[in-house]
Every structure is written in C-alpha cells, then in structure tokens.
Amino acid sequence: VYLPKAQGDLINSLVVEDAESFDRDVVVFGSLIVGVIVFSAITSTSVTIMYTQLYTNAAQTLFAALMSQDIAFYDNAMTGQLTSRLTNDLSQATFPIPTMVNSLLANTVMLVVGTFVCVTTSWRLTLLSFTFLSPVAY
C-alpha cells in the first residue's frame, strides 16, 4: 500500500532534479521492494506449513476413526473405495483454506498500512472519510 506513495516521491524527485532526494527515495523504494519480497516469502511458507499440518492432523483423525470401526463395517466396504474417499474428501475439504488465509492476511495488512498512510498524510481527511464511509459500510 505504501509502494505507490514511495514511487510517486521517487518520480517527483526525478522531475524536480533533486539528486539528494532522488538517492534517498531510491533507497526507500528499494527497501520497500525487499520488504515486500521477504514478507511474501514468510507468508507463503507459513501458510504452506499450516496447511500441511492441518491436512496431516485431519488425515490421522480420519484414519483413526476408520480403524476404530468394527469388523462388520469392513465386510461391506471395499478398501480402495475407503482410501479414495479418505483422500478425495479430505483434499476437497482443506483445499480452499490456503486461499482464505492468504486473503485474510493480505486484507488485514492492507487495512492497517492503508490506515497508517492515510493518518500520516492527513489525519483530518482520514477522520472525515471514516465519518462518511462508516454508514456506507454498515
């Protein structure tokens, strides 16, 4: 969310031909890009680890539930069909979770950083926009 402001500052310092300000803005913009890359990698890795652990725990729970069934249950059920149902149903149940977690994290970060940028730019304008947007959101 802060990248467009940094990019605008960079372009402004280039147009004004202020070398000192341009050098500072290049460092700020580069630092923001590196921060975005690092944060994206951390987010992706943590969501992947969370999804893997969730899938593993759910598979172990379902397998334990299958193993606790009495012998009569297995007389009428085919082993391949049980394995297929276990794998396919578990995959379909857990498939949307990484997308939802990534969206939740991205939207939370965008809300916090966007509010910060608005407040640092003009706290009066931010307050005015919250006053007008609150009834719309309700």
Side-chain angles (χ1 to χ4, degrees):
V1 174
Y2 194 74
L3 278 174
K5 182 178 180 342
Q7 189 175 14
D9 292 342
L10 183 67
I11 292 171
N12 285 341
S13 63
L14 183 63
V15 169
V16 175
E17 296 179 2
D18 184 10
E20 191 175 303
S21 176
F22 179 75
D23 292 341
R24 179 181 43 86
D25 290 339
V26 166
V27 170
V28 168
F29 188 71
S31 300
L32 287 173
I33 293 293
V34 169
V36 166
I37 291 170
V38 168
F39 183 72
S40 296
I42 290 171
T43 302
S44 176
T45 303
S46 62
V47 167
T48 302
I49 290 171
M50 183 267 318
Y51 175 71
T52 304
Q53 288 179 347
L54 177 71
Y55 187 89
T56 303
N57 289 340
Q60 288 174 347
T61 303
L62 288 173
F63 185 72
L66 278 176
M67 295 308 291
S68 67
Q69 298 294 324
D70 58 329
I71 299 298
F73 173 77
Y74 292 105
D75 289 341
N76 295 329
M78 291 185 265
T79 307
Q81 189 178 26
L82 289 175
T83 305
S84 176
R85 288 287 309 266
L86 176 76
T87 304
N88 292 336
D89 291 350
L90 187 59
S91 293
Q92 288 180 356
T94 57
F95 180 72
I97 290 174
T99 305
M100 292 183 336
V101 170
N102 278 330
S103 295
L104 177 68
L105 287 174
N107 290 335
T108 303
V109 167
M110 185 161 311
L111 178 67
V112 170
V113 173
T115 303
F116 175 75
V117 169
C118 288
V119 169
T120 57
T121 302
S122 172
W123 68 269
R124 290 181 180 107
L125 188 59
T126 303
L127 187 63
L128 182 67
S129 66
F130 282 151
T131 303
F132 283 110
L133 291 178
S134 296
V136 173
Y138 181 70

